[in-house]
Amino acid sequence: MARPRSFDEAVVVDAATHCFTDLGYAATSVDDLVIATGLHRGSLYGAFGSKRGLFLAALARHTSSPREAPEDDERALDLLLVASLELAPHDDEVRDLVRDACGALGPTAVTVLGRRLLERAHLEDDLPEAEAPPVVPTGPTPTTPATRRA
């Protein structure tokens, strides 16, 4: 029988989130997570299975629940950017979580994430004021054989 956890999972996940958003997923080591969370390595693996498992817990926590403060929104967007850039291209589960989070942001998802990406790069002051987001093309216009040119 497993022992009950002696830590607050939300606190641990939040501490790990700071590591992932400050360093990125690949650059965050398990040692970084041990230091940030204050848990022993065995407890981290016992609770989350792996670094990836802890990342998934952080992503699920910060993209599915309402945030309490504006900095929580920034942290959630940063985590979404890390997930999108580093894991989603080759991890179906992460891609599904990113897709759901972007769906929750609605039609402004591209603008919100793009703006946050530029803020993280300290480029937001160098850009012109945002206008209405451009219309994203949905794909090539279908043509019929009669309208195609050889």
Side-chain angles (χ1 to χ4, degrees):
M1 180 172 162
R3 293 186 325 183
R5 292 182 180 165
S6 61
F7 59 88
D8 183 339
E9 186 172 317
V11 171
V12 168
V13 170
D14 285 345
T17 298
H18 282 264
C19 281
F20 290 129
T21 57
D22 290 347
L23 303 173
Y25 179 80
T28 300
S29 69
V30 173
D31 288 338
D32 293 329
L33 296 170
V34 166
I35 292 168
T37 62
L39 292 181
H40 294 286
R41 184 180 292 261
S43 296
L44 275 177
Y45 282 113
F48 301 101
S50 64
K51 173 179 144 182
R52 180 183 175 275
L54 183 52
F55 185 84
L56 289 174
L59 187 59
R61 172 173 164 73
H62 288 281
T63 59
S64 65
S65 62
R67 267 86 50 206
E68 296 174 2
E71 58 269 16
D72 293 340
D73 286 337
E74 289 181 358
R75 190 67 63 183
L77 289 173
D78 290 350
L79 194 61
L80 196 53
L81 286 171
V82 169
S84 299
L85 293 169
E86 294 189 47
L87 295 171
H90 53 82
D91 187 317
D92 292 342
E93 188 174 1
V94 171
R95 187 177 316 114
D96 288 344
L97 290 170
V98 168
R99 182 180 297 115
D100 291 346
C102 287
L105 288 171
T108 63
V110 172
T111 302
V112 169
L113 288 172
R115 173 118 345 242
R116 184 62 193 149
L117 180 65
L118 296 174
E119 287 171 357
R120 282 183 59 112
H122 303 286
L123 293 171
E124 73 276 10
D125 292 336
D126 301 330
L127 299 173
E129 277 298 313
E131 297 179 15
V135 176
V136 177
T138 57
T141 304
T143 58
T144 62
T147 61
R148 289 189 197 144
R149 294 185 180 185

